[in-house]
DNA sequence: CCGGATCCGTTTCGATACTG
DNA sequence: CAGTATCGAAACGGATCCGG
């Protein structure tokens, strides 16, 4: 339906608007990639103050898009764990580019200039280490 | 104000949400980068059917963010030309990553598999050629 | 004609309260 | 802890109008 409408519309960018065209979805993915958040409550704690209903709707959408997966914690029955799928992990290079752009062109206050240089100089290594972390998480659950 | 609020909020990604968190802004930038659109009417013609008021608001925002610049066509007085600034051109690597991700993971129908491989294999060349095009445009105006 | 601005019904968002 | 329910506020978007 909506999904297939997007398919018909053509270019890869318009297809990915559900994800990148939405502020909250982007923040959720950011937190999963860079801060390894996995629980509902973790996402609520971010500085951007996402509301519970919005968060729930975005998590559901990201799951529908196949970017994250959801499972109840085997240990504590009422905890839910969200993790990135392969498709989600594949977004990491994109997010790293985003961080680089933001750091260079937006005067982000958190950005340590030295740190940025380091990231840019071996972007590939940085990407790989993030990928490792996310993949490791996925394996822990299985 | 809003701008400085964003500054305070911290990480480069949250700072860039005004741009990437919005579907229409993203589409405008896409069209400028990949299809070299420059006029108001050009953006209206995209498959996604943006409304005139929405387009106007996004162009204004992108200009305020310093990502695009606006000037009246020296030739035909009533035409307005939008072009990417340096800051806007710096988004190209990000957009290329986005295209790669979308092509690989969203089953985009327009995506010629051979074409994608080619882009991935020399991503840097592809990025450079796009940058050249955009820079060339800017120079034409001056 | 071109680049918008205005109006206005409809949709979506998002803060808070509430539930299992 | 992980979500729904509710409801006012904001954004969207189609049609139309306007100035140059």
């Amino acid at each position: 339906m909506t999904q297939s409408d997007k398919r018909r519309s053509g270019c890869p960018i318009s297809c990915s608007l559900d994800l990148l065209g939405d502020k909250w979805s982007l923040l959720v993915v950011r937190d999963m990639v860079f801060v390894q958040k996995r629980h509902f409550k973790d996402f609520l704690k971010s500085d951007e103050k996402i509301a519970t209903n919005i968060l729930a709707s975005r998590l559901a959408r990201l799951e529908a898009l196949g970017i994250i997966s959801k499972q109840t914690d085997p240990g504590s029955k009422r905890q839910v764990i969200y993790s990135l799928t392969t498709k989600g992990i594949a977004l990491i290079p994109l997010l790293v580019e985003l961080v680089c752009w933001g750091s260079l062109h937006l005067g982000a206050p958190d950005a340590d200039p030295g740190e940025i240089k380091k990231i840019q100089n071996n972007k590939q290594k940085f990407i790989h280490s993030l990928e490792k972390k996310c993949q490791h998480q996925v394996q822990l659950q299985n």
Side-chain angles (χ1 to χ4, degrees), chain A:
Chain A
M1 356 187 59
T2 315
Q3 191 71 354
S4 53
D5 283 0
K6 299 292 163 47
R7 295 262 155 97
R8 250 180 282 117
S9 78
C11 102
I13 290 194
S14 66
C15 291
S16 63
L17 284 178
D18 275 336
L19 166 65
L20 281 116
D22 180 67
K23 169 184 172 180
W24 298 118
S25 302
L26 201 56
L27 286 176
V28 168
V29 176
R30 176 201 67 178
D31 287 345
M32 295 189 82
V33 169
F34 293 105
V35 208
Q36 273 78 43
K37 293 188 181 177
R38 295 177 310 157
H39 302 294
F40 196 90
K41 60 166 185 183
D42 295 334
F43 297 109
L44 291 178
K45 283 182 209 149
S46 71
D47 287 344
E48 291 84 4
K49 306 288 173 203
I50 187 170
T52 59
N53 54 349
I54 306 295
L55 175 56
S57 78
R58 295 316 191 269
L59 287 170
R61 187 196 301 185
L62 287 172
E63 194 188 1
L65 289 171
I67 289 167
I68 66 176
S69 67
K70 172 181 178 178
Q71 57 183 142
T72 54
D73 190 324
S76 58
K77 201 63 184 169
R78 68 179 172 187
Q79 290 228 108
V80 177
I81 293 184
Y82 294 96
S83 52
L84 290 168
T85 62
T86 309
K87 188 169 164 183
I89 291 176
L91 282 167
I92 291 178
L94 173 59
L95 291 173
V96 171
E97 284 296 338
L98 177 47
V99 170
C100 291
W101 182 83
S103 304
L104 287 175
H105 296 276
L106 293 178
D110 290 11
D112 171 3
E115 191 66 21
I116 296 168
K117 270 272 155 60
K118 254 174 57 188
I119 292 177
Q120 296 215 313
N121 288 342
N122 38 30
K123 208 180 280 184
Q124 287 310 318
K125 265 194 185 157
F126 185 56
I127 290 174
H128 264 80
S129 76
L130 286 175
E131 286 171 347
K132 276 272 171 56
K133 276 190 200 168
C134 293
Q135 280 158 0
H136 182 66
Q137 270 188 34
V138 174
Q139 294 187 358
L140 283 181
Q141 301 160 208
N142 299 335

